[in-house]
Amino acid sequence: MRDDSTVTAAVMPAPNEPVRLERFPAPRLEPGAALLRVDFAEVCGTDVHLHHGRLAGVPYPLIPGHVAVGTIADLNGRIVDVEGEPFAPGDVVTFLDVHETCNACYQCLVAKQTTRCPHRRVYGITYGARDGLLGGWAEALWLKPGVKLVRIPPTLAPETFIGGGCGLVTALHAVDRTELRLGQSVAVLGVGPVGQSAIGLAALSGAGEIFAVGAPDDRLALARRFGATHALSLDLPREARRQAVLDATRGRGVDAVIEAAGAPDAVADALDLVRDGGRVVICGHYTDNGPVLVHPHHQINRKHVEIRGSWGADFSHFYRAVQVADRFGARIPWKELAARRFPLEQAGEALAAVEARAVAKAVLVP
Ligand SMILES: [Zn+2]
Ligand SMILES: [Zn+2]
């Protein structure tokens, strides 16, 4: 922050317009609110979609950046963590980007799936710049009352958590949805941030064979370091990939598939690779990438397959992601996903690097 009264943020003015810097007044902190000095904010695939106007309900102009780590600069009143411990200026925290989950609607109270609450708002996605400093691509952001904070323990490097970032949280939810059991085989389709984290979490969950399917080769090499036991390039024909999985699973296919590629074809591939009675979890289709042809008799009904979607994340996933990154950050190379850092002034370059797939994700250091 340049002084006490203004904060610089990177703004997407409208879809497909260049990102530019703007100054905003510092928020007035109402009781229960806090000001977070942003230490690291991520630039992920969602931001690329946002830049192309591919998500519904986004109020441009937008300060993107839905996952960030920062230091509490100021707070008004008493804000506590889930243990009841109060936060104080100087604490390093991250926060659940989803806010205003209502705890009053059918989805929240009856179906108990708060990630489908129609009232939820998301920092950096469905809060626009007119709503205030509510995105991570900024020197500081406004933590509104009710935002759920998670303490970054002193043993966890913030770079490790932001390297995992939204991909780690999304993958944790998806791996939960597989209900993976010790020794089971898994195929993860897609080796972007979600896929890499899914591989790492599957390994930590005691998976047996773990197949990484994707491209390019350097990401497949990284997937091996996350814990994949087999790496299958998309350069191989689809049938050759399927045969490789069958060969390594006594002709059965894998117990579970996590689709984290976002390509419609990957959903059809997932149904080919899963064993009879296995489970497919789809978490890569955050935007509408179109339909795909599947054969219900061969690929679903006769195989007795279970297909599950996995949408977003709630506080439990976020909280556990921090604990997992703390405990296993030395073993699983999340930190390397945060290797490319950009200053705020280069947010546009960071976004271009993610879009060109030159990096899996980029990190802004405001
Ligand atoms: Zn609700
Ligand atoms: Zn993200």
Side-chain angles (χ1 to χ4, degrees):
M1 282 172 281
R2 285 152 213 268
D3 56 50
D4 283 339
S5 59
T6 67
V7 174
T8 301
V11 174
M12 278 181 195
N16 301 308
E17 283 188 25
V19 175
R20 62 173 185 237
L21 293 186
E22 288 185 24
R23 305 273 289 271
F24 291 82
R28 289 237 315 276
L29 300 181
E30 67 273 59
L35 184 70
L36 187 73
R37 196 183 73 228
V38 177
D39 297 322
F40 300 98
E42 66 173 11
V43 181
C44 73
T46 296
D47 300 309
V48 174
H49 296 320
L50 287 168
H51 196 227
H52 292 298
R54 297 186 61 208
L55 293 179
V58 177
Y60 300 91
L62 184 73
I63 305 171
H66 64 117
V67 175
V69 177
T71 306
I72 294 176
D74 193 10
L75 77 180
N76 184 355
R78 187 176 154 86
I79 304 173
V80 299
D81 65 15
V82 290
E83 318 291 353
E85 289 282 323
F87 288 102
D91 286 352
V92 179
V93 301
T94 185
F95 60 97
L96 178 64
D97 53 348
V98 177
H99 186 229
E100 292 182 16
T101 298
C102 76
N103 199 33
C105 73
Y106 180 89
Q107 297 292 1
C108 284
L109 290 182
V110 181
K112 296 190 177 180
Q113 46 189 16
T114 60
T115 64
R116 298 300 303 138
C117 172
H119 304 290
R120 67 206 283 274
R121 302 289 298 274
V122 186
Y123 272 67
I125 299 177
T126 69
Y127 275 134
R130 288 190 195 95
D131 298 313
L133 280 164
L134 300 170
W137 295 13
E139 293 170 318
L141 62 77
W142 173 29
L143 294 169
K144 292 168 70 115
V147 170
K148 302 287 185 292
L149 307 186
V150 185
R151 216 177 280 283
I152 300 290
T155 44
L156 171 57
E159 295 89 334
T160 298
F161 178 72
I162 203 72
C166 65
L168 167 58
V169 177
T170 302
L172 191 147
H173 192 186
V175 172
D176 273 2
R177 298 275 287 159
T178 65
E179 297 181 36
L180 192 66
R181 303 182 70 177
L182 293 167
Q184 285 191 320
S185 55
V186 186
V188 176
L189 312 187
V191 286
V194 176
Q196 299 286 3
S197 277
I199 289 163
L201 295 175
L204 293 176
S205 303
E209 304 297 330
I210 302 175
F211 300 83
V213 182
D217 286 347
D218 59 336
R219 290 202 193 174
L220 285 173
L222 183 61
R224 284 195 178 272
R225 297 184 43 234
F226 268 78
T229 56
H230 304 259
L232 298 172
S233 170
L234 292 180
D235 293 339
L236 289 170
R238 178 179 175 180
E239 182 52 32
R241 297 196 303 267
R242 189 177 82 94
Q243 196 58 51
V245 170
L246 292 178
D247 288 347
T249 55
R250 297 176 178 267
R252 286 190 291 261
V254 288
D255 296 298
V257 183
I258 296 172
E259 183 285 319
D265 284 347
V267 173
D269 287 354
L271 292 166
D272 281 348
L273 301 182
V274 72
R275 70 160 164 82
D276 287 8
R279 187 169 288 146
V280 172
V281 173
I282 296 167
C283 67
H285 288 252
Y286 191 67
T287 55
D288 182 353
N289 289 320
V292 65
L293 196 65
V294 298
H295 197 306
H297 172 67
H298 287 294
Q299 290 183 292
I300 302 173
N301 201 152
R302 197 175 73 170
K303 285 185 88 166
H304 196 65
V305 165
E306 184 175 355
I307 303 172
R308 293 180 168 188
S310 183
W311 183 251
D314 66 22
F315 183 80
S316 72
H317 308 114
F318 221 88
Y319 178 88
R320 289 163 56 213
V322 171
Q323 315 314 313
V324 169
D326 183 24
R327 183 164 297 264
F328 298 106
R331 177 169 150 198
I332 309 290
W334 281 297
K335 199 172 190 168
E336 292 182 31
L337 294 176
R340 278 295 297 282
R341 299 188 193 164
F342 296 81
L344 198 56
E345 306 80 67
Q346 291 178 16
E349 286 89 334
L351 188 65
V354 173
E355 179 162 15
R357 297 180 183 263
V359 292
K361 74 158 69 178
V363 174
L364 296 181
V365 187

